[in-house]
Amino acid sequence: MTTISDAKVLITCPGRNYVTLKITTSDGVTGIGDATLNGRELSVASYLRDHVCPLLLGKDPSCIERIWQYLYKGAYWRRGPVTMTAIAAVDVALWDIKGKQAGLPVYQLLGGAVRDGVTVYGQASGEDIPQLLDDVGRILDRGFRAVRAQAAVPGVERVYGVPDGGRTGEQAGGGRPSVEGWDTGRYLNWVPRYMATVRQEFGHGFHLLHDVHHRLTPIEAAHLGKSLELFRMFWIEDPTPAEDQEAFRLIRQHTTTPLAVGEVFNSIWDCQYLITERLIDYIRTSVSHAGGISHLRKILSLAELYGVRSGAHGAGDLSPVSFAAALHVDLSVQNFGMQEYMEHLPPYQDVFKTTWTFEDGLMHPGDAPGIGVEYDEEAAARFAYDPKYLPVNTLADGSVHDW
């Protein structure tokens, strides 16, 4: 019987920090999974290295669901971002191995392709409206069918989603978080103005999205959704802090703008209420933060029963391993909605060799056996871990706000 003979944690920073789990079987087949938790990478690395990897040795790698339950139920301390990211890395690595053993891409093992390609949205931003329009035009010219639009808010310093001084808009080095400002009143007045300009300039022939990033109260989010209805948004994302799920009921009562949430969720239990009460339109849980391919499929199966579609998180804080795994799931589920695509920073391609393709706004994971990503350990060793953190958000009076 083939067994797991080795499991090791690999940390590298080709543009940003990534944690990868590599599992090797007794017959020499390898599989990789993404174990990156942005700003808390070493927590997952330790969880895997100290507590999970030793338990995998000698197990049958073909028993993916059995191993998943062993790691989830067997630990007693369930759920949470660290635990579920670690389990996800194991799960994806095992699916990668199974695909390689079968000589098939993972989406074929999930029932085959439901669609020819996966619709992805590009990220447009600007320090002002003209710069935003230039960026939207650039993305549409590349063939994207969907665009997320974010613009700096006048009078507010360093706003989420708008690059600042070469930063990605998410991470800052130096071992301490950067500080960003926030003013809800200015934001609520500004967003409808620039969305109107985007539609006036480019029309309605593409999907338009916006990320609120958990910044608003329920009634503020309802006001925003109402003010954007004319522009036929594909969704507004994370309008309120995700912990308060009842908030979405109030938002629903005031606006028909579609709602998306879930990138900070880690299990089906985090989103069960939102789905079964039909309080959201898109569930944005990701492969890497919600227990892997196995668990994400369960979430999406539940969502399908209630008319909720997928909209998986796909920011650059997830490695190419995670993004490839997401494409396999996207291709194989009936209730797919949209896939976020934030291109990874160079020189990521020195470490991660990918097979996915992009054409006419659609992505495909490719037909290489497994998930279609190979990891170059020798190249990875050249990029040492660099402590980085997500920003902290504050109001004008210095109090901490949701980031």
Side-chain angles (χ1 to χ4, degrees):
M1 181 184 76
T2 299
T3 60
I4 295 173
S5 60
D6 187 47
K8 63 180 176 179
V9 178
L10 305 164
I11 304 173
T12 187
C13 186
R16 61 191 308 162
N17 292 311
Y18 295 119
V19 179
T20 304
L21 176 67
K22 181 177 181 180
I23 295 177
T24 304
T25 69
S26 55
D27 56 0
V29 180
T30 63
I32 53 175
D34 181 25
T36 308
L37 186 62
N38 195 354
R40 295 294 185 271
E41 298 91 354
L42 298 186
S43 298
V44 185
S46 173
Y47 190 99
L48 283 167
R49 186 185 295 117
D50 299 332
H51 304 292
V52 172
C53 290
L55 304 180
L56 297 176
L57 302 182
K59 291 194 176 299
D60 182 350
S62 69
C63 299
I64 298 176
E65 180 66 18
R66 185 175 184 178
I67 291 174
W68 196 98
Q69 297 294 342
Y70 177 82
L71 296 176
Y72 180 79
K73 294 181 177 179
Y76 185 70
W77 305 107
R78 302 178 184 181
R79 301 163 62 185
V82 173
T83 294
M84 297 304 282
T85 300
I87 293 176
V90 175
D91 186 79
V92 171
L94 295 179
W95 277 105
D96 192 23
I97 288 170
K98 188 176 285 287
K100 290 175 180 177
Q101 289 173 331
L104 293 170
V106 165
Y107 76 83
Q108 292 288 10
L109 304 180
L110 303 178
V114 175
R115 54 193 49 82
D116 297 329
V118 174
T119 304
V120 296
Y121 64 90
Q123 319 275 342
S125 64
E127 293 288 350
D128 52 30
I129 290 179
Q131 193 178 97
L132 173 63
L133 294 178
D134 287 346
D135 214 25
V136 171
R138 176 186 63 83
I139 291 172
L140 292 176
D141 287 345
R142 292 181 57 194
F144 282 87
R145 304 178 182 186
V147 179
R148 190 189 83 171
Q150 311 287 138
V153 179
V156 179
E157 186 178 358
R158 305 177 97 177
V159 174
Y160 166 80
V162 181
D164 175 45
R167 294 190 311 130
T168 63
E170 295 182 12
Q171 283 191 325
R176 288 185 180 274
S178 62
V179 177
E180 295 183 352
W182 186 250
D183 186 306
T184 299
R186 293 175 185 266
Y187 169 80
L188 290 175
N189 290 331
W190 183 240
V191 175
R193 290 180 58 187
Y194 70 73
M195 290 301 179
T197 307
V198 170
R199 283 302 193 201
Q200 290 165 6
E201 181 76 14
F202 299 102
H204 285 76
F206 66 100
H207 297 303
L208 184 59
L209 305 86
H210 178 68
D211 187 0
V212 186
H213 222 252
H214 311 290
R215 303 296 173 90
L216 304 178
T217 67
I219 201 65
E220 290 167 351
H223 174 80
L224 176 66
K226 191 72 175 177
S227 70
L228 295 177
E229 286 179 359
L230 181 64
F231 313 124
R232 299 290 301 273
M233 306 296 293
F234 189 84
W235 74 43
I236 56 173
E237 175 186 335
D238 296 338
T240 57
E243 298 94 326
D244 182 8
Q245 300 193 10
E246 189 63 30
F248 286 81
R249 190 179 302 280
L250 188 150
I251 302 170
R252 271 277 198 253
Q253 293 170 352
H254 293 278
T255 182
T256 58
T257 295
L259 305 173
V261 72
E263 71 180 54
V264 298
F265 292 162
N266 308 125
S267 79
I268 196 169
W269 307 109
D270 294 328
C271 52
Q272 177 194 16
Y273 179 78
L274 289 171
I275 291 171
T276 58
E277 292 294 309
R278 303 179 192 271
L279 299 182
I280 58 173
D281 301 281
Y282 298 92
I283 181 65
R284 299 198 65 251
T285 47
S286 68
V287 167
S288 287
H289 296 156
I293 291 171
S294 298
H295 195 66
L296 180 58
R297 290 177 73 208
K298 294 177 182 179
I299 293 172
L300 298 183
S301 292
L302 174 65
E304 185 179 3
L305 297 178
Y306 293 90
V308 175
R309 291 186 283 174
S310 71
H313 181 56
D317 60 352
L318 302 173
S319 89
V321 178
S322 177
F323 185 72
L327 291 177
H328 285 280
V329 175
D330 296 337
L331 204 64
S332 65
V333 296
Q334 178 61 30
N335 57 324
F336 169 75
M338 186 72 72
Q339 172 65 55
E340 180 177 13
Y341 176 47
M342 183 179 289
E343 296 174 77
H344 296 89
L345 298 174
Y348 84 91
Q349 62 273 22
D350 290 0
V351 177
F352 300 94
K353 314 299 180 182
T354 63
T355 58
W356 65 62
T357 58
F358 173 82
E359 184 176 357
D360 192 26
L362 301 177
M363 297 197 74
H364 193 283
D367 289 312
I371 61 170
V373 180
E374 296 299 328
Y375 187 94
D376 188 330
E377 290 189 55
E378 184 176 333
R382 300 200 304 265
F383 305 104
Y385 173 75
D386 181 13
K388 296 180 180 180
Y389 291 91
L390 294 170
V392 172
N393 206 27
T394 63
L395 301 180
D397 63 4
S399 58
V400 177
H401 192 62
D402 294 286
W403 185 80

